[in-house]
Amino acid sequence: MMDALDQDIRDFIERETQDNIERGMPQEEARYAALRKFGNVRRVKEDTWDIWSFVWLEHLWQDIRFALRMLRKSPGFTTVAVLSLALGIGANTAIFSLFYTVLLRRLPVKNPEQLVELMYKDSGQPRSDGYRSWDGYENVRDHNHVFSALTGMTFDNLARVQIEGADPETLILENVLGNYFETLGLTPALGRLTTSDDIPASGHAEVVVVSWDYWNRWYHRDSAILGKRIYINREPKTIVGVAPRGYLGPRVGNRTDVWLPYKNDAVRMLARLKPGVTRRQAEAEMDVLYQAWVAANYPGKEYAKLRQRKVELEPAAAGLARIRDLYGNSLELLMGVVGLLLLLACVNMASMLLARSAGRQREMAVRVGLGASR
C-alpha cells in the first residue's frame, strides 16, 4: 500500500516537473516548483496513512512496546507495581464474586423482583426461621389480596436416593407445593414440571423433578431419564422432568438435586406480588391477616408472645434471606475493606509514578522539544 503511494507521489512530481520545463523553466527550478506545489511529502504520507489504516492500533502497539521496554529497564519498580495491583485487584475480584453471589445475583426465574419471602420477627428478638403451619399457609393463600401467587417449600432434607442402574447416594431434597414451579415461572429443560394435580389426597406425590446438574451427571443429558424409577428413602417415584439449567433452588449457596411435591405440612412461604402492589402494602395486609389468625386459633394469655410477632416481607429476587441475614453485613464490610485496599494500591502506584517522573525531567523536555504532546 505504501509502495503504491510512493509511486503516485513520484508520478505527480514528475508530471509537474515536465509541465514546468515545457513552460520554459530550467530543470532544477522546475522540480523545486513541483515540490512546492505538492507540499510536504512526509506530511501527505502520514495523513494518507491515517485514512487508510487503523492508526490507533499501531499507536497502541508502539505504546505497549515502549512500556515493556521501560518496565524491563526498571525491574524493582515493575515488581512492586505488579504486586501492588495484583493484590488490590485480586482481593477485590475474589470478594466481589462472593458479594455478587450472596447479595446481588438474581434468581433465574420470571420477574424475580416480584418475589418476597414471608418472615416473622418477635419483639426484641432476631428474625425467626419463617416456617408456618399448614393452616397458617391456607389462611394467607385464601384471604390475601396482594399476591398473584403463593407457594411453599421445606429445606435441609437429606435423602437417600437411588435411580435405576446407579448406586445409591445422598442428595438434597426439597419438598415443594404443587404450584412451586408455576409460581416461579420456570420452564423445564426436559419433560414437564410438577403441578398441584400431581399431589393426591395423601399429601405426597409419586413423581419428582430432578436438577439439570443431576441429569447431566447421571444421564449425560439423555432424554431416557424421563419415566425412570427413582427411590427416595426406599419409596419409589417417577421422574417426569428436569429443572432448567442454572436453577438450583431459591437459597443462595445451597443446591437442590430433587424436588418432590407435597402438602399438609409446615412450609416456608414464597409469594409473588401483584403488579402495582408495594412490599410495604403487602406487609401491612399480612400483619392484619396474621393477627386475626392468631386471635382465632390462639386466644389464651399464654400465647401473648405470638400476638406480638410482626410479619416482614423480605425481597427474594436474589434468593431467600437466611444467608444474607448471617453474612450480609460481614460481606459489605469486607467489600469496603478490599475496596480501600485497591485504593491504597492505586495511591501507591501514583506515588511511584510521580517519583519516577521526577527523574525523567530531561527526557520529557527533549520529547516535548521534538514535538511530542504532553
Side-chain angles (χ1 to χ4, degrees):
M1 184 180 293
M2 293 303 297
D3 292 341
L5 178 60
D6 290 337
Q7 185 61 47
D8 289 342
I9 292 174
R10 285 194 297 268
D11 291 343
F12 176 84
I13 293 175
E14 289 175 2
R15 286 197 304 271
E16 285 295 320
T17 300
Q18 187 61 38
D19 290 344
N20 291 337
I21 292 173
E22 291 176 359
R23 285 196 289 270
M25 289 184 181
Q27 184 172 357
E28 186 174 350
E29 185 180 344
R31 182 170 179 79
Y32 285 148
L35 289 171
R36 286 196 302 271
K37 182 176 181 180
F38 184 83
N40 189 315
V41 175
R42 182 176 294 276
R43 179 64 179 272
V44 170
K45 286 184 178 182
E46 290 177 353
D47 291 344
T48 305
W49 180 249
D50 287 348
I51 295 173
W52 285 357
S53 66
F54 295 100
V55 179
W56 64 270
L57 189 58
E58 181 185 6
H59 289 172
L60 176 62
W61 173 239
Q62 291 174 351
D63 290 341
I64 291 174
R65 291 172 59 191
F66 175 72
L68 291 176
R69 287 199 304 269
M70 296 299 293
L71 291 174
R72 190 167 57 247
K73 288 171 61 178
S74 305
F77 171 85
T78 301
T79 301
V80 174
V82 170
L83 291 178
S84 297
L85 290 179
L87 180 61
I89 295 173
N92 272 268
T93 301
I95 298 304
F96 182 77
S97 298
L98 184 60
F99 183 84
Y100 173 77
T101 300
V102 173
L103 299 178
L104 299 180
R105 185 173 63 185
R106 295 192 166 197
L107 293 175
V109 301
K110 180 181 179 181
N111 299 327
E113 68 280 355
Q114 295 177 346
L115 295 178
V116 293
E117 180 189 12
L118 277 72
M119 303 290 285
Y120 304 95
K121 187 173 183 180
D122 293 319
S123 178
Q125 298 293 327
R127 186 181 294 112
S128 66
D129 59 13
Y131 274 94
R132 189 76 170 266
S133 63
W134 181 255
D135 56 343
Y137 163 78
E138 290 183 317
N139 177 60
V140 176
R141 181 195 65 189
D142 297 338
H143 299 99
N144 88 86
H145 303 89
V146 291
F147 300 142
S148 61
L150 178 70
T151 191
M153 72 291 295
T154 67
F155 301 124
D156 301 321
N157 304 304
L158 294 177
R160 193 66 172 167
V161 177
Q162 182 177 16
I163 195 170
E164 290 179 348
D167 295 330
E169 59 180 328
T170 301
L171 299 180
I172 306 297
L173 172 70
E174 186 177 331
N175 288 314
V176 298
L177 299 188
N179 65 343
Y180 175 83
F181 294 106
E182 180 184 358
T183 298
L184 294 177
L186 293 172
T187 302
L190 182 71
R192 68 176 180 86
L193 301 177
T194 53
T195 67
S196 298
D197 295 335
D198 292 314
I199 305 178
S202 62
H204 285 272
E206 301 302 317
V207 296
V208 299
V209 172
V210 298
S211 69
W212 192 95
D213 288 352
Y214 184 83
W215 176 43
N216 183 55
R217 184 170 70 247
W218 279 112
Y219 273 82
H220 307 289
R221 288 179 270 178
D222 187 346
S223 59
I225 196 173
L226 294 181
K228 286 287 184 181
R229 300 293 281 177
I230 185 171
Y231 294 87
I232 300 177
N233 296 329
R234 298 184 179 181
E235 294 184 4
K237 309 290 181 183
T238 303
I239 298 175
V240 296
V242 177
R245 184 175 188 176
Y247 183 74
L248 297 175
R251 294 188 300 170
V252 176
N254 295 82
R255 80 175 197 277
T256 299
D257 299 304
V258 181
W259 288 270
L260 175 63
Y262 86 116
K263 66 179 180 180
N264 298 330
D265 202 352
V267 295
R268 288 184 64 170
M269 287 187 281
L270 188 66
R272 184 176 291 278
L273 293 172
K274 288 183 177 179
V277 175
T278 68
R279 186 163 55 93
R280 294 307 176 197
Q281 290 172 335
E283 205 170 71
E285 179 173 301
M286 288 302 99
D287 211 34
V288 171
L289 282 179
Y290 173 75
Q291 293 299 333
W293 177 79
V294 170
N297 293 277
Y298 303 95
K301 293 182 179 181
E302 64 273 22
Y303 298 112
K305 189 174 181 179
L306 287 180
R307 288 189 287 275
Q308 296 174 0
R309 178 177 286 182
K310 297 294 183 182
V311 178
E312 291 187 345
L313 299 185
E314 288 286 341
L320 299 190
R322 184 68 174 174
I323 194 169
R324 291 196 299 272
D325 292 343
L326 295 175
Y327 305 114
N329 292 335
S330 299
L331 279 175
E332 290 175 358
L333 178 60
L334 191 57
M335 194 70 225
V337 170
V338 295
L340 181 60
L341 178 63
L342 180 60
L343 178 61
L344 291 175
C346 293
V347 171
N348 186 41
M349 279 293 302
S351 300
M352 290 191 298
L353 289 172
L354 285 173
R356 188 173 165 81
S357 65
R360 299 177 60 194
Q361 289 182 351
R362 289 188 61 186
E363 175 192 344
M364 295 304 169
V366 173
R367 289 178 178 275
V368 172
L370 292 175
S373 66
R374 293 189 177 274

